[in-house]
Amino acid sequence: MSAALARTVHDPVDRLLSRLECVKQTGADRWIARCPAHNDRRPSLSIRQTDDHRALLHCFAGCAAAEIVHAAGLELRDLYPERPAEHYAGPVHAHSRWSRSDVWLLLQHEAAIAAIVAADTAAGRPVSAEDAERAGLAADRLADAVATLGVR
Ligand SMILES: [Zn+2]
């Protein structure tokens, strides 16, 4: 691999954090920051980097991952490490609203939100009306995403 290629590879989480305000590291692979998608006075956006260098987002006010990355001037695909092959696949997906990989990303994020709320419920912790509503929205979006992917 040439140095020129290596230079273009950044961890998605770095790219994201550089565009957020009030970023504070809370653990080895965890940060909090102000959510750019709503009027956030105290940092309510949680960011986590997975072992395979994906960036996971959760806004406790209920903003969707897509809304957050768009507000930060990024796309959902920017949360994932770059794969060189995707550059060549670009034109094929250029005019579709959602590529299959975007839908898969959305599925993962919405499933994560639903899982967080379900875990709170299972642990007997009170779930706010806002969180319950957000989990309902996650379920709707999961259903939409599955419909978009289609069953082959
Ligand atoms: Zn938010």
Side-chain angles (χ1 to χ4, degrees):
M1 281 296 142
S2 71
L5 265 180
R7 192 167 49 80
T8 63
V9 178
H10 300 289
D11 276 342
V13 79
D14 291 336
R15 191 160 35 192
L16 179 68
L17 293 174
S18 71
R19 291 165 181 262
L20 298 175
E21 293 178 353
C22 295
V23 175
K24 194 178 146 200
Q25 187 151 16
T26 57
D29 297 314
R30 286 164 190 273
W31 297 263
I32 55 168
R34 264 191 199 155
C35 173
H38 78 276
N39 187 12
D40 198 9
R41 291 211 183 82
R42 63 203 164 102
S44 51
L45 178 63
S46 140
I47 302 116
R48 193 162 79 77
Q49 180 171 250
T50 63
D51 290 343
D52 55 354
H53 295 247
R54 286 176 293 131
L56 297 183
L57 298 174
H58 179 68
C59 171
F60 288 93
C63 302
E67 293 164 354
I68 296 164
V69 292
H70 291 162
L74 298 171
E75 299 294 329
L76 280 175
R77 69 179 74 246
D78 293 322
L79 298 178
Y80 286 69
E82 280 180 50
R83 272 173 245 151
E86 284 179 359
H87 293 300
Y88 301 104
V92 176
H93 301 293
H95 37 251
S96 66
R97 309 154 312 253
W98 286 87
S99 72
R100 289 176 78 85
S101 63
D102 276 342
V103 174
W104 277 115
L105 302 193
L106 187 69
L107 271 170
Q108 290 182 333
H109 282 286
E110 296 298 333
I113 290 164
I116 288 166
V117 175
D120 278 352
T121 309
R125 284 194 287 270
V127 173
S128 69
E130 212 170 46
D131 278 355
E133 197 177 297
R134 185 65 190 81
L137 183 61
D140 286 350
R141 285 182 176 165
L142 285 169
D144 281 353
V146 170
T148 304
L149 284 171
V151 179
R152 301 269 151 102

